[in-house]
Amino acid sequence: MKISLQHVTKIFPSRNKKSGEEVIAVNDFNFDIPDGKLIGLLGPSGCGKSTTLYMICGLQKPTGGKIFFGEDDVTDLAPENRGVGLVFQNYALYPHMTVKQNIMFPLENLKGADKLSKDQMMERTLEAARLVQIDNLLDRKPSELSGGQQQRVAIARALVKMPRVLLLDEPLSNLDARLRLQTREEIRRIQRETKITTVFVTHDQEEAMSISDMIVVMKLGVVQQIGKPQDVYDDPVNLFVAKFLGTPPINVFVGKIAGGKVYIGDDAVLDAPGVADQEIYVGIRPEGFVLDPNGAFHSKLSSVEVMGRDISVVSTNPAAQTPLIRSIINTDSKVDPASETVSFTLKPSKVFLFNKETEERIRIPE
Ligand code: ATP
């Protein structure tokens, strides 16, 4: 099921009568979510991710704009009539019911033509339980399950009605690191198997990048960029997106363009032919540094951290926006931990230039 968001906006009225400031939680969101794909809605706390999700499921009504499921305008449709499955951060399972009863619960409320027989309900419940691999736990109560198992029950409960759309709001937040990893892979597998169009809300860029077909990066209610995770990482449209994606994060420097060259401090680190002289921010991905004694970029060596396959060279530079610069270097390259300075050449594809005022990307003409 394709989901189409057209100029979707949500404004919350002010709670404080004096200040009178309303909150624009989501501002003119436009996106056609392709059928059968998993979309990661990503951004810092308060950027409007959850509000967008709640508008898709019908728990919040847009102030403006339209939402379509396929050809159906669902903007004014009640949540129960949209055919959505919703999973929250807090699984909210019924504690007095068994796993089986929890999963079956939504089916018991079906009315009219949708009403199912006891056998049909049991069949659907077993199918959903099998899909999330908890069919051996059906008689347990939620308190007898691990966090990951509880979350699977919540997913099975969302799937049992065979929703047209699956919506997940930070579904992994309450799990420990290992379970998060395992459960996110499970969600990916389930989504691939069912091919249900899925929207997954998270503030964790790594999580979104790892499982999404496409990511939507939001800031203050405004969509910044939409694309395949790797494409957005490799080609960010502005400094916010560049900083939001990547671990370790991108290194940002104050710099300038003068005479067709990019300067960080006094170092002319890269050619930028055809770009007007101006103040800029230079973003360099950690993997964009290549150790080179004759390299044009110099920094003061702080430490060398061995990470197995790679090493992390940590250094400082007065133009850097963060106290430490992190570069990831292949272990084939040697760096003397005793040396005072370290020199690099930069991989042009890993260096991004941004206008200092607007923080929008500056592209070097081909
Ligand atoms: P988080 O990751 O913290 O859940 P989010 O990106 O999901 O954040 P939203 O919950 O969508 O963000 O909130 C977006 C903005 O709208 C925030 O500024 C928030 O304070 C505001 N907001 C959300 N719900 C309401 C409401 N019911 N009334 C007023 N303001 C609200």
Side-chain angles (χ1 to χ4, degrees):
M1 174 73 55
K2 177 177 125 181
I3 305 172
S4 185
L5 299 159
Q6 299 180 1
H7 303 291
V8 172
T9 296
K10 179 70 187 180
I11 301 173
F12 290 107
S14 161
R15 288 255 168 81
N16 179 340
K17 286 210 175 92
K18 266 193 202 146
S19 79
E21 271 198 39
E22 50 192 19
V23 178
I24 307 178
V26 179
N27 195 351
D28 198 22
F29 195 127
N30 289 291
F31 183 35
D32 283 348
I33 300 175
D35 180 28
K37 298 290 183 202
L38 194 160
I39 304 301
L41 259 186
L42 179 64
S45 180
C47 72
K49 314 178 286 288
S50 299
T51 305
T52 304
L53 198 79
Y54 296 159
M55 288 192 286
I56 298 174
C57 79
L59 290 174
Q60 294 275 11
K61 194 173 164 1
T63 316
K66 295 244 168 252
I67 300 173
F68 290 85
F69 285 2
E71 300 303 315
D72 303 340
D73 183 347
V74 299
T75 317
D76 295 316
L77 207 60
E80 59 272 22
N81 298 329
R82 291 194 186 196
V84 293
L86 188 60
V87 179
F88 291 103
Q89 175 178 343
N90 301 313
Y91 337 117
L93 300 177
Y94 301 108
H96 59 286
M97 293 187 189
T98 63
V99 167
K100 184 165 64 190
Q101 289 165 334
N102 262 287
I103 300 175
M104 201 185 282
F105 187 73
L107 300 180
E108 287 175 350
N109 292 325
L110 292 177
K111 304 235 158 54
D114 294 331
K115 201 168 163 43
L116 299 176
S117 71
K118 272 253 165 313
D119 283 349
Q120 285 170 319
M121 280 197 270
M122 195 60 218
E123 197 179 314
R124 286 260 208 108
T125 301
L126 280 176
E127 204 178 312
R130 257 185 239 120
L131 195 63
V132 300
Q133 298 177 346
I134 47 161
D135 42 328
N136 54 335
L137 305 173
L138 287 174
D139 294 323
R140 291 210 200 163
K141 295 268 174 67
S143 61
E144 296 161 346
L145 301 176
S146 73
Q149 289 165 338
Q150 290 184 41
Q151 191 56 303
R152 286 172 196 223
V153 178
I155 295 170
R157 195 175 56 181
L159 290 172
V160 77
K161 274 170 63 175
M162 300 185 175
R164 304 195 281 177
V165 173
L166 183 62
L167 304 171
L168 307 164
D169 190 5
E170 302 262 7
L172 310 178
S173 301
N174 290 348
L175 307 181
D176 67 33
R178 194 180 53 84
L179 260 181
R180 279 180 86 109
L181 208 69
Q182 194 184 333
T183 314
R184 84 183 186 201
E185 280 156 18
E186 280 290 286
I187 289 177
R188 187 62 182 141
R189 176 187 64 77
I190 294 163
Q191 197 276 331
R192 286 229 166 100
E193 270 181 52
T194 57
K195 297 194 179 65
I196 298 176
T197 309
T198 300
V199 184
F200 181 100
V201 161
T202 177
H203 62 273
D204 181 334
Q205 56 92 20
E206 202 189 328
E207 199 164 279
M209 300 261 289
S210 65
I211 66 167
S212 306
D213 292 307
M214 292 180 94
I215 55 171
V216 178
V217 185
M218 294 182 74
K219 175 191 172 190
L220 294 173
V222 180
V223 172
Q224 305 290 302
Q225 192 165 359
I226 299 176
K228 291 184 184 157
Q230 192 68 47
D231 293 350
V232 179
Y233 179 83
D234 287 339
D235 198 8
V237 296
N238 60 30
L239 184 60
F240 175 83
V241 174
K243 281 162 89 170
F244 202 76
L245 301 183
T247 2
I250 194 164
N251 301 284
V252 181
F253 302 85
V254 176
K256 66 176 182 201
I257 295 177
K261 289 198 181 299
V262 177
Y263 284 87
I264 295 176
D266 293 331
D267 298 336
V269 295
L270 215 65
D271 289 337
V275 183
D277 290 2
Q278 58 190 296
E279 304 276 305
I280 56 169
Y281 287 117
V282 184
I284 309 175
R285 292 271 182 224
E287 65 276 22
F289 296 87
V290 181
L291 276 175
D292 176 359
N294 302 316
F297 177 77
H298 309 286
S299 57
K300 195 161 171 289
L301 186 63
S302 298
S303 62
V304 178
E305 295 168 4
V306 179
M307 305 191 304
R309 190 161 35 94
D310 301 316
I311 53 175
S312 171
V313 176
V314 184
S315 62
T316 60
N317 181 298
Q321 292 274 283
T322 46
L324 296 175
I325 307 163
R326 292 198 169 270
S327 44
I328 307 290
I329 312 284
N330 192 289
T331 39
D332 296 344
S333 310
K334 294 280 173 274
V335 54
D336 176 5
S339 46
E340 268 198 15
T341 56
V342 60
S343 304
F344 302 97
T345 49
L346 304 177
K347 294 181 192 164
S349 65
K350 297 290 178 183
V351 180
F352 309 123
L353 313 178
F354 304 96
N355 181 287
K356 188 125 178 269
E357 296 291 314
T358 64
E359 301 190 355
E360 293 299 314
R361 180 89 174 273
I362 301 166
R363 293 174 190 278
I364 301 172
E366 302 257 319

